[in-house]
Amino acid sequence: MQIIDHLEIERQNRFVEQIRLDHKSHHPPGTNPGIRYAIRTYGCQLNENDSEKLAGQLHQMGFLPAETISDADLIILNTCSVRENADNRLFGNLGRLKQRKKENPDLIIAICGCKMKQAEHVERIKRSYPFVNLVFGPQDIHKLPEMLYTCLHHQEKLYSVGDQDTLVEGLPILRSRKFRALISIMYGCNNYCTYCIVPYTRGRERSRQPAEVLAEVRAVVADGYQEIMLLGQNVNSYGKDLENRSGQPADFAELLAAVAETGIYRIRFMTSHPKDISNRLLEAIAQYKNIEPHLHLPIQSGSNRILERMNRHYSREQFIEIVRRARTLRPGLTISTDIIVGFPGEQEDDFAQTLDLMNIVRFDSAFTFQYSQRPGTPAAEMPDQIPAAVISERFMRLLELQNRHSLESNQAMIGRRVEVLVEGASQTDTAILSGRTACNKLINFRIPDLNMLPQSYRLKNNQPNGCALEGRLAKVHLCRAKTFSIEGEMEMLLL
Ligand code: 5AD
Ligand code: SF4
């Protein structure tokens, strides 16, 4: 592992300064239109957090966000290898960008993210999309100033995907949300689930020093954030690679407790691997009320035979026991999960076991996936691949069951008064605000009387100002359950 320390960041800062100076010299004072950038992020929150670090560096270089992608002088596509749509969307988007590049040859197009760690995709870009200026990987984010400098100055194409696992501190960050600060606590994954590409694209597990994490938490609290989300592919193995220093949090349970002690209003975290859930973690969730009463706990399959082939290292019985303990220790805790349908060798009986486990656990919500082969993973080589038609038929049955459970879980909330952290106005109806409860339920609510809002939270057309309300807390009475959300009415703005 390569630790990227302040010396390397200082070296990068020299490129930042150079880009700022060059840009000024191109544009006499007062005429500088500012280089505009657009970043498109695919996939998970870890990618979103990486994009925030790219934006932070671009901001330092004096770049400004473009209003729309057509106004951008620099476009960065931050790709994902896990979600199938994200896979297909990239090359579709690149096709469209080809035309834009013809119209504006100065446009810089950069592609980064997990997908660029797969050589076949980089080869495809070289071959079919030669107008792309810059390709780099998740471990190269801190080198953006140097890489851009090379592109701008030498008009070079740069394919610069680093192989070494890096741990970077001290990068500037421009956060994309006002209500939630994303904080990565570790990078990479050592688990090698047989279907998953992540260990190959994000490298080995490496944890940030607890002091660095806590400093970032304190900084976002000082910035007024109510909610943070601690991120890692498997947060439960946090700290395994760190030297144990006395007085410092040594594992995820201790880190979580230390974060809770900072007094932040709400802490979320994901993702938890069931094999590493400790009693101490569940006890911390029970002890600190500012830790969300919610666990994202991917089961993947309810069949022990399939779990073994997936290399998951837990059984359905152990999973059920974790859920039971978690719910006992923190009443009201919700559980979400990831489930894959149609893993190689999955028989009807294995699938029935998954449905059975869902009926026992009753997940409050689930991300459901149809198995898809990822080249380079062991499962992709397994001989007993399941036909697509069988997968999609099973998938529909699974979805139907989960939708029923999700609706029932939402129905159980009706009549309650809950605290909702506002995320903004609904895109289809600006009179409706949305946000989430501590237990991660999506709530869409109306404000029965606009006089309940101080003037600064109202727009001229007498609608709530969704932007200003982002990150505020509202007390909401829950009225009507839907499958993926609950409708309610605001009773009071809390803060
Ligand atoms: N096929 C289908 N789903 C997958 N996931 C990861 N790899 C694959 C794959 N090859 C799902 C898992 C994981 C989630 C982020 O994506 O359920 O938890
Ligand atoms: Fe992939 Fe498994 Fe690691 Fe999650 S724990 S990122 S599914 S290998």
Side-chain angles (χ1 to χ4, degrees):
M1 181 184 59
Q2 187 190 7
I3 298 193
I4 308 297
D5 59 10
H6 65 282
L7 285 177
E8 171 61 15
I9 300 293
E10 274 171 25
R11 201 176 80 80
Q12 292 297 328
N13 282 344
R14 289 201 281 280
F15 290 103
V16 169
E17 276 316 303
Q18 203 52 53
I19 291 176
R20 288 183 78 103
L21 286 173
D22 291 349
H23 193 56
K24 273 202 192 113
S25 62
H26 276 99
H27 300 280
T31 66
N32 181 347
I35 296 184
R36 308 258 160 190
Y37 70 87
I39 304 178
R40 289 289 170 271
T41 310
Y42 307 93
C44 67
Q45 275 110 344
L46 283 152
N47 251 16
E48 203 182 309
N49 193 218
D50 284 349
S51 288
E52 293 180 331
K53 292 173 191 163
L54 293 170
Q57 294 177 86
L58 292 169
H59 182 74
Q60 250 192 346
M61 290 176 228
F63 292 27
L64 300 164
E67 297 261 314
T68 66
I69 202 156
S70 353
D71 302 327
D73 310 295
L74 163 68
I75 297 173
I76 303 182
L77 305 179
N78 189 1
T79 63
C80 162
S81 316
V82 173
R83 308 208 178 164
E84 181 65 15
N85 303 348
D87 246 48
N88 297 335
R89 253 194 300 164
L90 168 69
F91 291 105
N93 280 344
L94 272 180
R96 280 189 289 280
L97 284 180
K98 188 174 180 178
Q99 187 53 34
R100 182 124 346 118
K101 183 88 176 186
K102 269 197 192 136
E103 292 155 13
N104 174 13
D106 290 337
L107 174 67
I108 298 177
I109 299 176
I111 312 183
C112 62
C114 297
K115 231 171 165 39
M116 297 304 103
K117 282 298 286 278
Q118 294 170 276
E120 68 270 23
H121 295 311
V122 178
E123 284 311 311
R124 184 167 169 191
I125 290 170
K126 279 187 188 165
R127 207 174 46 241
S128 308
Y129 306 92
F131 56 87
V132 170
N133 302 74
L134 174 60
V135 170
F136 59 100
Q139 278 93 324
D140 311 301
I141 282 178
H142 61 284
K143 287 195 286 196
L144 182 67
E146 183 176 1
M147 295 185 295
L148 265 186
Y149 182 84
T150 311
C151 284
L152 287 166
H153 265 253
H154 307 295
Q155 314 267 299
E156 263 178 22
K157 264 183 234 152
L158 200 64
Y159 303 102
S160 173
V161 183
D163 260 345
Q164 203 163 20
D165 294 341
T166 50
L167 190 76
V168 190
E169 291 296 349
L171 277 185
I173 185 160
L174 195 65
R175 297 189 187 275
S176 56
R177 313 173 194 226
K178 275 198 281 178
F179 64 92
R180 173 187 300 159
L182 303 176
I183 300 185
S184 297
I185 61 167
M186 59 188 300
Y187 305 93
C189 181
N190 287 354
N191 289 314
Y192 290 98
C193 301
T194 52
Y195 50 81
C196 185
I197 195 75
V198 168
Y200 310 92
T201 59
R202 294 236 167 213
R204 298 289 63 71
E205 268 171 19
R206 48 219 191 268
S207 306
R208 292 176 66 194
Q209 290 293 337
E212 300 281 2
V213 175
L214 290 169
E216 189 172 347
V217 171
R218 288 193 196 97
V220 299
V221 172
D223 277 349
Y225 276 92
Q226 304 292 341
E227 182 174 300
I228 56 167
M229 186 180 244
L230 303 176
L231 296 174
Q233 301 293 347
N234 174 15
V235 289
N236 298 111
S237 52
Y238 173 81
K240 283 185 180 163
D241 57 325
L242 292 176
E243 262 176 51
N244 200 344
R245 295 206 202 129
S246 64
Q248 292 267 15
D251 62 11
F252 185 57
E254 289 182 16
L255 181 75
L256 202 54
V259 171
E261 294 280 352
T262 64
I264 183 141
Y265 172 74
R266 192 185 275 173
I267 304 159
R268 301 197 184 282
F269 58 96
M270 71 186 303
T271 292
S272 296
H273 195 307
K275 81 177 167 56
D276 296 314
I277 289 266
S278 66
N279 264 336
R280 287 175 44 250
L281 175 69
L282 298 181
E283 280 157 14
I285 297 172
Q287 184 184 343
Y288 292 99
K289 296 303 167 230
N290 54 351
I291 300 178
E292 60 170 342
H294 167 242
L295 264 182
H296 183 66
L297 202 59
I299 175 74
Q300 312 296 5
S301 167
S303 151
N304 284 338
R305 200 176 68 83
I306 296 296
L307 285 172
E308 200 159 309
R309 287 170 66 107
M310 288 177 161
N311 194 31
R312 292 289 290 176
H313 295 282
Y314 55 82
S315 65
R316 60 183 266 130
E317 292 75 19
Q318 284 165 332
F319 187 92
I320 292 167
E321 176 55 19
I322 295 168
V323 169
R324 194 195 59 75
R325 260 188 288 146
R327 285 183 171 149
T328 312
L329 279 167
R330 181 90 184 253
L333 176 125
T334 55
I335 298 197
S336 57
T337 197
D338 293 346
I339 307 174
I340 298 177
V341 180
F343 184 83
E346 184 189 78
Q347 302 291 314
E348 186 54 35
D349 177 56
D350 297 303
F351 179 63
Q353 296 265 326
T354 298
L355 298 181
D356 181 60
L357 180 130
M358 290 165 71
N359 278 319
I360 295 171
V361 171
R362 294 191 168 255
F363 294 108
D364 297 277
S365 64
F367 295 100
T368 49
F369 300 87
Q370 304 194 25
Y371 171 74
S372 96
Q373 280 169 286
R374 300 281 172 233
T377 58
E381 305 302 321
M382 290 180 183
D384 35 11
Q385 303 289 326
I386 307 293
V390 175
I391 297 185
S392 66
E393 188 274 332
R394 284 182 193 159
F395 185 73
M396 294 317 290
R397 280 192 277 156
L398 181 105
L399 214 55
E400 199 189 304
L401 181 62
Q402 182 52 48
N403 285 351
R404 210 162 62 226
H405 290 164
S406 300
L407 180 64
E408 282 169 12
S409 161
N410 287 345
Q411 279 165 340
M413 304 279 292
I414 298 309
R416 291 200 206 165
R417 289 171 169 82
V418 291
E419 288 182 10
V420 175
L421 186 62
V422 180
E423 298 183 5
S426 146
Q427 282 180 344
T428 45
D429 182 349
T430 49
I432 298 177
L433 296 171
S434 25
R436 282 180 189 268
T437 62
C439 65
N440 206 31
K441 294 276 185 199
L442 178 62
I443 312 294
N444 294 317
F445 63 97
R446 289 184 180 278
I447 302 173
D449 178 359
L450 258 282
N451 290 320
M452 294 163 90
L453 291 179
Q455 194 62 46
S456 55
Y457 292 124
R458 286 185 244 161
L459 293 171
K460 289 215 175 68
N461 62 1
N462 234 6
Q463 295 269 19
N465 184 340
C467 246
L469 283 160
E470 187 183 336
R472 304 292 91 202
L473 269 174
K475 189 167 192 189
V476 178
H477 180 221
L478 302 181
C479 311
R480 204 165 86 91
K482 299 171 104 179
T483 306
F484 303 111
S485 63
I486 306 175
E487 291 174 359
E489 288 208 338
M490 189 178 95
E491 293 196 329
M492 199 195 311
L493 191 65
L494 292 172
L495 93 205

